[in-house]
Amino acid sequence: MTHDPAALDRHFLRRAVALSKERMEANLGGPFGAVIVRDGQIIAEGWNEVTSALDPTAHAEVTAIRRACQAVGQFSLEGATLYSSCEPCPMCLAATYWARIGRLVYANTRDEAASIGFDDAFLYGEMPKDPLKRALPTAHVALEEARAVFELWRNKADKIAY
């Protein structure tokens, strides 16, 4: 395999696109695929499983992240690159950050996804709003018990920070 970074990006991105096509044609979900690579090796692959798994969070990037974390035995994917057939939605982008993935490379844009019925513009617009001003009816109910659990976490000597 080549050591040219741009050629490597195209190579792994093509695998993500191939997964999107294969799994879509198998009626497993929408046309999205993802590959996670570290040190030049694929550590996990994912594809959209929303309709087949009956799980609205089973987007390609999230399934790839779940599989990658299991494969490496940790919740951090530092030093990895996520290759996605499409620009990640807000949920997948957040998961990418939570997983500490070091780099993201994608093929289709969110505008191209919107043109075939996968429009995330509403979600992108909701995120910066005050929680009580979003379209989803929301209530903030402060509970002392909830604060107490946070205080327990703050003082927990054997916690695994993330």
Side-chain angles (χ1 to χ4, degrees), residues 36-38 43 65 76-83 95-105:
I36 297 178
V37 175
R38 188 187 295 169
I43 57 175
I65 288 167
S76 174
L77 298 173
E78 279 188 67
T81 299
L82 170 61
Y83 293 90
T96 301
Y97 278 104
W98 277 114
R100 293 172 178 77
I101 290 172
R103 189 164 171 262
L104 168 65
V105 179

Side-chain angles (χ1 to χ4, degrees), residues 2-160:
T2 180
H3 292 291
D4 172 31
L8 284 172
D9 282 349
R10 285 189 301 276
H11 170 76
F12 291 120
L13 196 52
R14 282 188 176 108
R15 177 61 191 149
V17 171
L19 276 170
S20 72
K21 183 176 185 281
E22 291 165 14
R23 299 315 196 260
M24 176 197 66
E25 288 177 340
N27 292 320
L28 294 175
F32 306 99
V35 174
I36 297 178
V37 175
R38 188 187 295 169
D39 299 325
Q41 300 294 315
I42 294 175
I43 57 175
E45 298 179 334
W47 48 91
N48 184 285
E49 298 180 46
V50 169
T51 57
S52 58
L54 305 178
D55 179 354
T57 69
H59 290 198
E61 298 88 345
V62 170
T63 60
I65 288 167
R66 290 173 180 162
R67 289 180 179 121
C69 289
Q70 291 298 308
V72 301
Q74 56 189 29
F75 57 81
S76 174
L77 298 173
E78 279 188 67
T81 299
L82 170 61
Y83 293 90
S84 180
S85 65
C86 187
E87 181 179 356
C89 75
M91 175 185 69
C92 293
L93 183 60
T96 301
Y97 278 104
W98 277 114
R100 293 172 178 77
I101 290 172
R103 189 164 171 262
L104 168 65
V105 179
Y106 63 89
N108 293 321
T109 67
R110 62 176 145 169
D111 292 333
E112 290 170 313
S115 77
I116 63 164
F118 295 93
D119 191 352
D120 298 327
F122 173 75
L123 296 175
Y124 278 105
E126 286 288 286
M127 299 307 285
K129 291 181 182 176
D130 178 286
L132 301 180
K133 294 183 178 173
R134 292 181 181 145
L136 177 66
T138 302
H140 173 225
V141 180
L143 290 177
E144 190 52 43
E145 303 94 286
R147 287 192 184 104
V149 173
F150 273 20
E151 193 59 32
L152 288 170
W153 174 259
R154 180 188 327 277
N155 299 319
K156 186 171 174 33
D158 63 344
K159 67 184 168 197
I160 299 172

